[in-house]
Amino acid sequence: MKLSHLTEPPLEFGGAMRHVDIRFGLMDYGPFDAGMEGAPKRIKVGIVGSAETVEGTARWLESCRTGFEAKASRQPNLFPVFPGLSFEEAFRCEFVTSDELQRVLPPKEIARLAAIPGQREMTRAVVESIADEIGVLSERTTKPDVVLVALPIEIIQRTYNARAATSSENDDGAPDESGPELDFRGMLKASCMRLHLPIQLLWPTTFDPAYKIPRKLKENSDRRTQDPATIAWNLLTAVYYKAGGLPWRLARDARQLRTSFVGLSFYRSIDGEHVHTSTAQMFDERGEGLILRGGRMVESEEDRRPHLTAEDAYELLRNSLKVFRQQHGHYPARVVLHKTSRFDRNELAGFHKAIDERDIDYADLIWVQKSMTRLYRLGVYPPLRGSLLRFEKDQALLYTRGSVEFFRTYPGMYVPRPLMLRCQALGQPLQHVAAEMLALTKMNWNNTQFDNGLPITIAAAKQVGEVLKYVPDGQEIAPRYSFYM
């Protein structure tokens, strides 16, 4: 065994400048695409909700213009100031809203939705009602770039972590097995996909921390109200990306091989009968790519777990490489596949067939899992993020969460679990593969605290599956990750 520490990967921001931290990089240099053709200059923000939440969200967006003070803390790098919104600050663009970009759900409609007794029926009704309002905005002359769905408390109580009646009981006390689980967030994003408008859900506590979440709901939630500056950083970064901007990208050496990153994840169809493959195709260091939907899984004879057939694995990667070529004019020199389960022999055969067909010399197929194995260090803090324990040439333990030198603390609540990396095909040294994995954890545009646990390939594929399960097989799916995050 060999223990080492990977340095924190830098990110690239405006003017090709680099920084290890997202928020300081944006403050100092602006987004990566600042000044480039196509970068957002004026983002029109739509808002849908109750009269109270629409007004509160619009008021909060206005208050973001002047910025928010840093949270009082002994870790100033963990809680920086939010400098405000102008062409000289952070995103180098405007965020605007107006009455024309807003839709208010009538109080009678909210009361009707909250009173629907069945969980599945209520969830479907809420999704339909909100999607109809977003549809109105999509047809207006002044169309929003992104829509904020400001959920009223009455709707949150009935939809947050909504589960079907399979986890409840009928009037006679017997379990109701009339339907599968339903997820409000996934259903709403799937329903809005046809409108070609990305959405962002938010709670009233975003603009007013004094809002009281009902005790019953709070007990089932790990949601904590963040400080105003952190809320602004996270939410507006997501809005900037969903509006077509590129806040940052991986900082990569020009001598490195042009690489296509692909994350694979399985999801179960809404009828519960079929398991499909979702993929998050990451073209290059920009993180730009295409969302693809793969074939149905089969149960492998090797481990009785879901896997792709050799033919489906071949078609999936062949289509991914085809899209890469359409975007770049050439095939990648290297392909990296991340998966949270083992690659069986049929998948390996199918993927290698697609790789060999395009004469790609380098391929890394990485089985990624959270591990129960933990390292310990002297003192009270967990191991450093970037700690790498190599067992063999193709297997290692990587801490993507842990104590962060830049933050001068461990910012998590629980003991971090490292990732176990098992390389079933290795085209690059394991040290390089692990460093790349660590860098990919910083490509989540939903969060500006960079110590995410999973690489974006895996995290995105999981989120894609949570939405695609509600999209019928014949319906066209949105290609950008912004419609799923």
Side-chain angles (χ1 to χ4, degrees):
M1 293 189 295
K2 181 180 179 181
L3 180 63
S4 60
H5 179 249
L6 304 175
T7 58
E8 189 62 52
L11 297 170
E12 189 171 337
F13 297 91
M17 302 301 290
R18 298 183 176 189
H19 203 290
V20 297
D21 184 79
I22 293 166
R23 291 164 290 190
F24 283 91
L26 288 172
M27 278 193 288
D28 294 345
Y29 311 119
F32 170 77
D33 58 355
M36 296 183 181
E37 184 178 355
K41 298 294 184 184
R42 190 170 188 266
I43 298 175
K44 300 183 292 296
V45 181
I47 307 175
V48 172
S50 66
E52 187 176 16
T53 62
V54 167
E55 180 184 5
T57 303
R59 186 172 61 249
W60 173 83
L61 193 62
E62 180 64 29
S63 67
C64 288
R65 294 180 182 275
T66 55
F68 299 104
E69 294 183 358
K71 175 182 176 180
S73 171
R74 289 180 294 179
Q75 287 86 31
N77 285 354
L78 185 57
F79 301 104
V81 63
F82 180 74
L85 298 175
S86 72
F87 289 108
E88 292 76 34
E89 301 287 357
F91 302 101
R92 286 18 178 205
C93 75
E94 288 186 298
F95 292 73
V96 298
T97 188
S98 64
D99 292 344
E100 190 178 6
L101 297 170
Q102 300 166 8
R103 292 288 295 177
V104 173
L105 289 167
K108 287 185 178 180
E109 176 66 4
I110 295 174
R112 181 189 73 83
L113 294 171
I116 296 176
Q119 185 68 62
R120 288 178 291 110
E121 292 76 8
M122 181 278 309
T123 301
R124 290 193 180 99
V126 172
V127 167
E128 181 180 358
S129 183
I130 293 177
D132 286 345
E133 298 297 339
I134 296 173
V136 173
L137 294 178
S138 71
E139 296 174 355
R140 288 187 170 173
T141 304
T142 303
K143 179 181 175 180
D145 299 302
V146 182
V147 177
L148 301 181
V149 181
L151 298 173
I153 290 292
E154 299 91 332
I155 299 300
I156 293 174
Q157 285 182 265
R158 294 299 312 276
T159 58
Y160 184 69
N161 269 352
R163 296 189 179 277
T166 50
S167 59
S168 62
E169 294 182 343
N170 289 317
D171 293 339
D172 60 1
D176 183 352
E177 299 180 352
S178 58
E181 283 190 359
L182 296 181
D183 174 67
F184 167 70
R185 176 187 174 278
M187 287 187 70
L188 183 60
K189 287 183 178 288
S191 181
C192 294
M193 196 175 292
R194 58 183 171 79
L195 304 173
H196 306 291
L197 271 180
I199 65 172
Q200 176 75 31
L201 276 66
L202 60 86
W203 285 24
T205 47
T206 298
F207 56 83
D208 186 356
Y211 266 88
K212 300 297 182 183
I213 304 298
R215 183 67 180 172
K216 182 179 180 181
L217 179 65
K218 196 171 185 180
E219 287 179 344
N220 297 325
S221 169
D222 59 359
R223 186 182 182 91
R224 295 180 299 158
T225 301
Q226 298 170 318
D227 62 283
T230 299
I231 291 174
W233 274 119
N234 291 339
L235 183 54
L236 294 177
T237 297
V239 170
Y240 184 84
Y241 176 72
K242 292 181 179 185
L246 189 62
W248 64 86
R249 74 171 186 179
L250 293 180
R252 295 175 66 83
D253 192 319
R255 296 170 294 181
Q256 290 179 329
L257 297 173
R258 199 62 180 271
T259 302
S260 174
F261 300 100
V262 183
L264 294 89
S265 177
F266 293 105
Y267 67 93
R268 188 170 295 278
S269 61
I270 188 60
D271 60 13
E273 296 182 1
H274 306 291
V275 178
H276 299 259
T277 305
S278 64
T279 70
Q281 166 74 41
M282 310 299 293
F283 289 126
D284 54 21
E285 66 274 8
R286 289 171 64 96
E288 291 291 352
L290 187 75
I291 302 302
L292 300 175
R293 175 159 53 183
R296 295 178 179 178
M297 75 86 183
V298 294
E299 188 177 271
S300 173
E301 297 177 356
E302 297 179 27
D303 57 8
R304 301 298 180 185
R305 296 179 65 85
H307 290 277
L308 291 170
T309 64
E311 184 60 27
D312 280 344
Y314 165 74
E315 287 292 333
L316 184 63
L317 187 53
R318 187 176 73 91
N319 290 337
S320 295
L321 295 173
K322 180 181 178 181
V323 172
F324 187 100
R325 187 178 187 279
Q326 290 172 346
Q327 294 290 322
H328 295 277
H330 59 80
Y331 289 108
R334 175 171 169 251
V335 173
V336 177
L337 282 86
H338 292 159
K339 189 168 175 278
T340 56
S341 60
R342 182 173 163 274
F343 294 86
D344 72 355
R345 63 175 180 270
N346 292 321
E347 290 172 328
L348 290 172
F351 289 138
H352 280 299
K353 179 182 177 182
I355 291 166
D356 294 340
E357 187 177 79
R358 298 305 177 191
D359 293 325
I360 297 172
D361 294 326
Y362 301 93
D364 299 275
L365 277 64
I366 317 298
W367 172 14
V368 184
Q369 278 190 318
K370 286 189 176 181
S371 175
M372 292 303 296
T373 302
R374 291 186 172 92
L375 305 179
Y376 294 89
R377 60 189 290 223
L378 295 176
V380 297
Y381 290 105
L384 292 170
R385 168 178 153 90
S387 297
L388 178 69
L389 180 64
R390 297 178 59 176
F391 299 107
E392 302 173 18
K393 67 175 183 179
D394 59 356
Q395 188 170 326
L397 201 68
L398 173 65
Y399 270 84
T400 54
R401 298 220 68 200
S403 301
V404 179
E405 291 180 311
F406 184 76
F407 295 151
R408 299 182 63 185
T409 188
Y410 168 55
M413 293 180 62
Y414 308 105
V415 178
R417 291 176 60 186
L419 299 181
M420 179 64 76
L421 311 182
R422 295 181 176 90
C423 305
Q424 293 185 246
L426 196 59
Q428 294 290 305
L430 182 55
Q431 187 92 356
H432 177 82
V433 169
E436 206 167 49
M437 184 79 66
L438 190 66
L440 287 170
T441 64
K442 305 179 78 163
M443 297 300 289
N444 186 346
W445 297 279
N446 245 346
N447 184 1
T448 55
Q449 184 176 304
F450 63 75
D451 62 325
N452 295 290
L454 291 173
I456 188 61
T457 44
I458 297 296
K462 287 180 177 292
Q463 285 188 311
V464 167
E466 291 170 0
V467 176
L468 285 186
K469 68 169 62 178
Y470 298 104
V471 180
D473 284 344
Q475 181 178 323
E476 182 180 356
I477 65 173
R480 286 195 85 228
Y481 175 49
S482 57
F483 287 87
Y484 304 86
M485 60 183 274

